[in-house]
Amino acid sequence: MNTRQLQYAIALAKVRNFSKVADMLNISQPALSKQIINLEGELGLKIFNRGTTPLTLTAAGEHFIREAEDLCYREEQLLRAMSRYQSGEYGRLVIGVTPFRSLYLMPELVKKIRSRYPGIRISLHEVNSAQLRKDAAEGKCDLAIVNLPVDTALLDVIPLEPDILVLAVHNTMAGKLPVAKDGKRLTVDFSQLQDYPFVVLSPGQELRNLFDGLCTAAGFRPIIAAEVVGVTSALAMVQAGVGAAVLPLQFIHSQNFDNNLSLYVVKNSLYSRQPAVVTRRGQVRTPYADFAISLLTEQE
């Protein structure tokens, strides 16, 4: 039993004439008769009384046609729903992102995606970069934003605009450093900062590893004024004048910029943060995943 047979039986139940239905369906009358006979043979029951003019339905046939109409309707609705998923009208989008990057990158991105595809549900998978690489390789995310390098044998990679990392210092703590105005970025040699108190992230985080590397390269042991878990707390500490901190410029600008801060690019820093969108190699992307990626790459 297949959908075509159901549709033929439904049409015949409405018109009650083999010849007219065959013309409507643009098939021969013998072909139509064969399909109905095959259907009745599979069911082991007669659907139509052929000895009457016009055709009439048997008791079993009346029940069968009601159920067949319901099945065909549900199949049509299912296909329409799947078409909406295919077009991006419906669906679910899982974006893997670190918590700090989610803070400044996701609100506007999610807003734009929802504006284009209001029927989809967006889930943010917020974990650290190491876990994101693993989860993306296992196909648990439609896309993830991580820092390179990654295993390109497992992941397809689309590079994004590089992160700019700056040293944020409250102007009251600038000391001998020149004070920047209106968010303008100056340059600083990290070796000049050995007497400065710092706000740092907890050990193991990428920004902490960067900071430790800068101190080692500059040849001094830093004065740690405060150790925090998140970049939001670190920025708040800097704004309060607790200490200086190395933070992503994009994150700082996503907040209400404090004109009492000066931002410095660290001179001769060999460390760079190259973010990228990654997906499981060969993974089929939905239209809304492609749209999200296009929005991210447009920011370059």
Side-chain angles (χ1 to χ4, degrees), residues 233-264:
S233 297
L235 179 58
M237 291 285 184
V238 174
Q239 290 171 325
V242 174
V246 176
L247 297 169
L249 179 65
Q250 292 92 330
F251 164 70
I252 295 174
H253 282 174
S254 72
Q255 311 301 298
N256 293 322
F257 185 73
D258 187 343
N259 287 319
N260 293 314
L261 296 185
S262 291
L263 306 179
Y264 304 87

Side-chain angles (χ1 to χ4, degrees), residues 47-277:
I47 299 173
F48 297 98
N49 292 312
R50 290 170 176 77
T52 61
T53 303
L55 289 172
T56 58
L57 289 164
T58 65
E62 289 179 356
H63 181 85
F64 177 83
I65 293 300
R66 285 196 301 270
E67 295 296 325
E69 287 176 331
D70 185 57
L71 280 173
C72 287
Y73 173 77
R74 283 188 287 166
E75 180 183 34
E76 180 184 359
Q77 296 308 303
L78 177 60
L79 292 174
R80 286 182 180 180
M82 292 302 100
S83 177
R84 288 174 179 143
Y85 277 101
Q86 186 179 36
S87 67
E89 186 177 346
Y90 289 163
R92 179 170 179 251
L93 177 64
V94 180
I95 301 175
V97 62
T98 58
F100 98 83
R101 189 169 271 140
S102 176
L103 187 65
Y104 69 85
L105 194 58
M106 288 297 106
E108 191 63 26
L109 182 71
V110 170
K111 179 182 177 181
K112 289 179 179 178
I113 297 170
R114 289 279 301 159
S115 178
R116 170 71 71 87
Y117 299 109
I120 73 164
R121 177 163 58 93
I122 301 171
S123 298
L124 299 182
H125 182 55
E126 297 177 298
V127 294
N128 61 48
S129 285
Q131 187 64 45
L132 283 178
R133 294 183 184 95
K134 180 177 182 294
D135 291 346
E138 293 175 357
K140 293 180 179 178
C141 308
D142 292 289
L143 61 111
I145 305 167
V146 301
N147 294 321
L148 297 181
V150 299
D151 187 347
T152 54
L154 301 175
L155 296 165
D156 290 323
V157 179
I158 303 172
L160 299 177
E161 178 186 10
D163 279 342
I164 298 174
L165 296 171
V166 295
L167 179 78
V169 182
H170 196 279
N171 290 339
T172 58
M173 299 185 64
K176 296 180 181 180
L177 298 177
V179 174
K181 294 183 179 181
D182 301 322
K184 182 180 179 181
R185 300 191 298 276
L186 303 174
T187 302
V188 66
D189 190 317
F190 215 73
S191 61
Q192 297 175 249
L193 306 172
Q194 58 183 340
D195 295 326
Y196 276 75
F198 287 96
V199 177
V200 298
L201 298 188
S202 52
Q205 297 196 53
E206 288 179 301
L207 286 177
R208 176 60 181 271
N209 294 338
L210 160 66
F211 173 79
D212 291 344
L214 289 172
C215 293
T216 299
F220 69 85
R221 189 184 184 92
I223 301 169
I224 305 298
E227 184 177 278
V228 298
V229 173
V231 288
T232 304
S233 297
L235 179 58
M237 291 285 184
V238 174
Q239 290 171 325
V242 174
V246 176
L247 297 169
L249 179 65
Q250 292 92 330
F251 164 70
I252 295 174
H253 282 174
S254 72
Q255 311 301 298
N256 293 322
F257 185 73
D258 187 343
N259 287 319
N260 293 314
L261 296 185
S262 291
L263 306 179
Y264 304 87
V265 177
V266 179
K267 185 178 180 181
N268 298 325
S269 173
L270 299 179
Y271 187 92
S272 63
R273 283 166 55 98
Q274 174 60 63
V277 174

